[in-house]
Amino acid sequence: MRVFEPLQESDPQQVGHYRILARLGSGGMGVVYLGRSRAGRAVAVKVVNAALAGDPEFRLRFAREVALARTVSGFFTAGVIDADMEGSPPWLATAYVAGLSLEEIIEEYGPWPETSVRTLGAGLAEALESIHTAGVVHRDLKPANVLLAPDGPRVIDFGISLAVGGARLTRTDALIGTPGFMSPEQVVGDPVGPPGDVFCLGAVLVYAATGTGPFGTGSAQSLWYRIANLEPTLDALPAGLRAVVAQCLDKRPERRPTTEALLGELAGPDTARGSVTELFADTAWLPENVVDALRAGTARPLPATPAPTPSVPGDDPVRPAAATVPRAEAEPTRARVGPKPPGSPADTDPEAVPEPGEPPRNPVSEVTTDSSGAEPQDTGASAVPRPAAPDSQDTRPPEKAPFATESSGLRTPPTQPRSGEAGDGEDPGDAVTSRRRGVSRRQALIALRVLGVATLGFAGWRLFGDGDGDGDDDGRGERSGGPVGSPSPLPSTPGSLRWSFTTGEFVSSSPAVVGGVVYCGSGDNKLYAIDAATGRRLWEFTTRDKVFSSPAVADGIVYVGSGDRNLYAIEAATGRQRWAFTTGGWVRSSPAVDDGTVYIGSGDKNLHAVDLVTGRQRWRYSTGAEVNSSPAVADGTVYVGDDDGRLHAVDAATGRRRWTFTTTPRRVRSTPAVEDGTVYVSSYDKHLYAVDAATGKQRWTFPTGGRVPSSPKVVDGVVYLGSIDRNVYAIDAATGNRRWAFTAGAELYSSPAIADGVLYIGDYAGRFYAIDLAAGRERWTYATGDKITSDPVVGIAEGTVYLSSYDTKIYALHV
């Protein structure tokens, strides 16, 4: 059973808002604590090893990967609920799972029967589907990273995941994964994608059914050799499991089943998509002796909250960020994660972490004027040799090629730096690596990623140098509270940068531009109002969770959803809250406003209609699945998709269903487009559908080569949309015939924006494209510092296209 280890004298008693109760585990990457929120909720808090926090490469990998990990949601995953990216050391908090690991259970109670293994596999397959949908590859799915609770498994530890199709930031001395539970592509150094996780899932199922992995036991070198060169041992598996596990363990990634196919194989044909949780409605899926162990474990009381001890001088009792944990030999009492003692290296090193005693560095208050916004792109490590045969005496893991970077190649001459700003040919707007040179300049966004310590993943963080003379100074020696910037002195050539605005986290919210103001949400829990001409921050509004929802503006009010389950109404002029409407789940959907009502979808499986003035619910329509699609309103009908692959038509006045159209059971997360009596909607089943708006009957369907999260746009009888297959399609709206296709450099999650004969769209590698609408040819491209999943918007009056990126920035480009 899990043992709560007592706190040591060097351990903090408080991390952020969480009171620390006990240790859960520790390792080379840091310490995991059991904590309690102010409301009494149990959480697992991970604090990073201070030595690793000084490694810039480690920080860079961590920031990018954890930004994605925070987007993972799903019943069978344990997600990040809080983090401090400015803390030193940084930390994050995740939901505490009061269960035991699969590794502990199998070691103590032995292998499971086939029915239990199948049900376990169904839950893990759905967890992986949630992870992959967020663009993440776990890369270390193993029995120790599967926690068991009576209501199902939880996949944990996304600290070493990679963005699908993104940069490969692999340490030169690290082979990420666990011997015996790694895929062949991991072992030999090939690119690792979702099929790699499917291989690991197969290995986990073999372990659950037999008590050992499919490649036996032994030294790491021996296991690596077997994984890369030999077939797995499956003779001990029940016959009913052998075929599906063998498919998972195929050495060719392209021949492994998808998580969707695995759900059908493991859960059975009678289990509807999205209803896998019904398998875990009671404990019948578990062996009887395991049920007793889990009940005993979950019934065990948590340690009592310790009495507070005196805090160290300078402690910030509210937000103890940007500091290190005092060493035991220097401070005998447990302390908060708080300030460094005077005279520490940060006092004199301009590259070190700022002290919390100075005004906090607001990560949203930086505007950079840049000629390209591009950053060096990671090429990743080259393939490593196949492992030597096990009789070799060399027990080292396969070598990795050195970390390498390359320029994007799209850079134009930088602007002349202002006094005290970036010089020596350095672009001040470079994302992630944009540290300005010289004394007293703001440090670049740097971050760390922590490989799994105990059970849960990490979240990214930022460090900033001192702020003297940076963009937050208003010229009078005072903090202005917002960025000071100016339009780029470059000629207004199409694709050149006007300004960029930096937030405190990744940005996947799409901007809205109304009345010369850009409104956009961020993963730092904030909604920003930015002057569209200058990039100056006008105000910011803080929610209690990430803002993925894109704002809608009507009659001087901004409406936006948040991960804290609320739909907010905010005054566009002042940033003050008018009201908040609470749903029963995460709000990723973007609001639609029509005729005195705002419509919003929610993770609570409902479409909500809310009065614009009072914030009170008018009606609620149940879809039966999570609603991450954004609704569209036309002719008195609200159209919205759900995560079971359905498109719903709902009466806007009464909330009654008019009809439901079902795609191949996959997610519908796009915003429907309604034009001339037809609803166009795309689906994760790799199709675009044209549906009769009155009857809900299909008119035609267009197949793509990949999932379609992109929302269609209809202009002059042509439907335009992007796809995971990297193509932008132009499709005849009447017939469904393709007119042209443009191939981007990476997957397309972004939806197109169209103006003046040009289509604008961003890809998953951070490239932003302007495409000729008639010919389907590229006009220009612009490179941001990270993936683009949000939709751009064109301000015709400003002659500007606005977009956001995971590199934490909102961009304004000349068109």
Side-chain angles (χ1 to χ4, degrees):
M1 301 298 295
R2 175 176 297 180
V3 176
F4 298 122
E5 302 175 20
L7 293 173
Q8 301 175 9
E9 288 186 344
S10 59
D11 290 329
Q13 67 173 220
Q14 181 97 7
V15 175
H17 299 304
Y18 305 99
R19 186 75 169 165
I20 300 303
L21 309 182
R23 281 185 168 223
L24 292 177
S26 62
M29 301 300 172
V31 181
V32 185
Y33 298 102
L34 175 67
R36 192 189 298 278
S37 71
R38 288 178 291 191
R41 181 181 182 182
V43 296
V45 181
K46 233 174 189 180
V47 178
V48 176
N49 185 320
L52 287 173
D55 181 350
E57 182 186 332
F58 183 84
R59 293 172 174 174
L60 178 61
R61 291 183 296 120
F62 179 77
R64 292 189 175 183
E65 295 179 14
V66 170
L68 282 169
R70 296 187 71 175
T71 71
V72 174
S73 64
F75 182 81
F76 300 108
T77 61
V80 176
I81 59 176
D82 197 5
D84 188 348
M85 299 193 303
E86 298 177 32
S88 179
W91 58 269
L92 67 85
T94 59
Y96 172 69
V97 180
L100 300 174
S101 73
L102 179 63
E103 181 179 58
E104 293 173 300
I105 287 291
I106 298 299
E107 286 182 355
E108 180 72 20
Y109 300 101
W112 287 8
E114 179 180 347
T115 302
S116 296
V117 175
R118 280 185 168 275
T119 309
L120 169 70
L124 298 182
E126 182 163 303
L128 287 181
E129 187 172 44
S130 299
I131 292 168
H132 296 161
T133 297
V136 175
V137 182
H138 192 292
R139 295 208 308 165
D140 196 25
L141 183 65
K142 59 185 179 182
N145 281 340
V146 176
L147 292 186
L148 300 174
D151 61 349
R154 301 294 190 275
V155 174
I156 57 175
D157 201 349
F158 307 115
I160 59 174
S161 57
L162 277 182
V164 176
R168 296 178 63 207
L169 298 171
T170 307
R171 291 180 62 88
T172 59
D173 60 351
L175 184 63
I176 296 176
T178 300
F181 296 94
M182 296 170 65
S183 65
E185 49 267 40
Q186 283 176 282
V187 170
V188 302
D190 288 342
V192 180
D197 285 345
V198 172
F199 187 96
C200 297
L201 172 58
V204 169
L205 296 184
V206 174
Y207 179 83
T210 68
T212 189
F215 298 97
T217 59
S219 68
Q221 186 72 10
S222 296
L223 290 170
W224 288 326
Y225 176 82
R226 295 173 203 157
I227 289 171
N229 298 285
L230 304 181
E231 292 304 313
T233 301
L234 305 179
D235 295 342
L237 279 180
L241 274 176
R242 199 172 301 148
V244 64
V245 170
Q247 293 177 50
C248 294
L249 295 176
D250 196 303
K251 297 201 186 301
R252 294 158 293 186
E254 67 276 7
R255 300 192 63 170
R256 296 172 200 152
T258 63
T259 52
E260 178 75 17
L262 278 176
L263 277 170
E265 287 275 355
L266 295 168
D270 296 331
T271 301
R273 241 326 252 121
S275 302
V276 175
T277 52
E278 295 176 4
L279 297 173
F280 303 95
D282 54 41
T283 58
W285 70 282
L286 288 165
E288 187 174 347
N289 56 352
V290 174
V291 173
D292 295 338
L294 292 181
R295 284 175 175 166
T298 55
R300 183 183 179 189
L302 299 179
T305 303
T309 56
S311 58
V312 298
D315 257 355
D316 179 353
V318 178
R319 189 176 183 274
T324 59
V325 180
R327 294 175 298 179
E329 63 267 26
E331 177 58 58
T333 59
R334 292 197 307 276
R336 300 171 183 268
V337 175
K340 290 186 177 182
S344 64
D347 293 329
T348 56
D349 183 2
E351 299 284 285
V353 185
E355 298 298 332
E358 68 184 85
R361 298 293 181 264
N362 190 339
V364 308
S365 58
E366 180 179 354
V367 168
T368 55
T369 303
D370 183 10
S371 58
S372 76
E375 71 159 350
Q377 301 295 317
D378 303 307
T379 61
S382 60
V384 299
R386 285 187 177 271
D391 57 0
S392 168
Q393 296 302 308
D394 186 0
T395 60
R396 294 173 299 174
E399 293 182 358
K400 286 291 192 180
F403 177 86
T405 60
E406 64 178 5
S407 172
S408 67
L410 298 177
R411 204 180 297 281
T412 55
T415 61
Q416 181 67 27
R418 294 190 293 268
S419 175
E421 291 201 354
D424 302 323
E426 183 180 36
D427 279 335
D430 276 358
V432 181
T433 55
S434 62
R435 184 176 60 226
R436 294 179 175 140
R437 301 181 182 178
V439 180
S440 298
R441 304 310 308 148
R442 184 182 294 274
Q443 262 188 289
L445 170 62
I446 56 178
L448 73 137
R449 189 200 79 184
V450 175
L451 310 184
V453 181
T455 60
L456 299 162
F458 280 70
W461 63 296
R462 303 188 75 187
L463 295 176
F464 297 94
D466 68 6
D468 299 340
D470 68 11
D472 291 317
D473 196 301
D474 64 2
R476 298 170 297 180
E478 298 175 356
R479 307 292 290 184
S480 65
V484 176
S486 62
S488 170
L490 289 175
S492 57
T493 54
S496 61
L497 181 69
R498 292 190 66 180
W499 52 258
S500 67
F501 178 93
T502 304
T503 76
E505 256 283 12
F506 64 92
V507 187
S508 63
S509 169
S510 303
V513 183
V514 178
V517 179
V518 180
Y519 303 93
C520 194
S522 171
D524 63 5
N525 304 358
K526 294 180 180 180
L527 173 72
Y528 297 98
I530 307 163
D531 187 280
T534 65
R536 294 172 182 262
R537 183 186 62 184
L538 302 177
W539 52 256
E540 64 184 48
F541 176 84
T542 302
T543 74
R544 294 192 298 273
D545 208 332
K546 294 177 284 292
V547 180
F548 287 153
S549 173
S550 302
V553 187
D555 298 327
I557 304 296
V558 185
Y559 303 92
V560 71
S562 169
D564 64 10
R565 303 186 175 191
N566 286 312
L567 167 68
Y568 291 95
I570 305 159
E571 293 180 0
T574 64
R576 295 173 181 170
Q577 178 178 317
R578 282 276 185 94
W579 50 257
F581 172 80
T582 303
T583 74
W586 179 296
V587 181
R588 294 174 183 259
S589 173
S590 301
V593 179
D594 184 75
D595 194 24
T597 305
V598 56
Y599 303 92
I600 192 78
S602 170
D604 66 4
K605 304 182 180 182
N606 291 303
L607 171 69
H608 298 270
V610 182
D611 186 276
L612 286 182
V613 177
T614 65
R616 295 177 180 174
Q617 183 170 279
R618 290 187 167 181
W619 52 256
R620 180 182 63 193
Y621 172 85
S622 176
T623 67
E626 288 189 10
V627 182
N628 292 301
S629 164
S630 300
V633 188
D635 300 323
T637 303
V638 187
Y639 303 93
V640 72
D642 70 25
D643 272 14
D644 267 355
R646 293 184 293 261
L647 171 67
H648 302 265
V650 184
D651 186 279
T654 65
R656 294 176 181 172
R657 181 175 69 91
R658 292 189 169 178
W659 51 257
T660 299
F661 174 81
T662 303
T663 71
T664 302
R666 292 304 297 266
R667 295 178 173 89
V668 174
R669 292 192 167 180
S670 64
T671 303
V674 187
E675 191 76 19
D676 295 333
T678 302
V679 185
Y680 302 92
V681 67
S682 53
S683 170
Y684 274 47
D685 71 358
K686 305 181 182 181
H687 286 80
L688 169 71
Y689 294 90
V691 181
D692 187 283
T695 65
K697 295 182 178 179
Q698 179 178 307
R699 291 185 170 177
W700 53 256
T701 182
F702 176 85
T704 72
R707 293 175 292 138
V708 191
S710 174
S711 299
K713 295 294 190 302
V714 186
V715 176
D716 296 332
V718 181
V719 186
Y720 302 91
L721 84 161
S723 170
I724 297 299
D725 67 6
R726 303 189 304 161
N727 286 311
V728 181
Y729 292 99
I731 305 156
D732 188 281
T735 65
N737 295 326
R738 188 178 79 174
R739 292 196 174 183
W740 54 255
F742 170 86
T743 302
E747 298 92 335
L748 296 165
Y749 286 80
S750 171
S751 304
I754 298 170
D756 292 336
V758 181
L759 181 149
Y760 302 94
I761 196 167
D763 74 13
Y764 208 63
R767 297 292 178 98
F768 186 72
Y769 301 86
I771 303 168
D772 185 273
L773 203 61
R777 296 176 181 172
E778 177 185 307
R779 288 194 175 184
W780 52 261
T781 63
Y782 179 90
T784 70
D786 208 336
K787 62 188 64 61
I788 302 170
T789 61
S790 60
D791 308 337
V793 61
V794 181
I796 299 298
E798 299 89 352
T800 305
V801 59
Y802 303 91
L803 62 139
S804 57
S805 168
Y806 265 62
D807 66 5
T808 74
K809 291 188 177 184
I810 300 164
Y811 292 89
L813 306 178
H814 291 285
V815 299

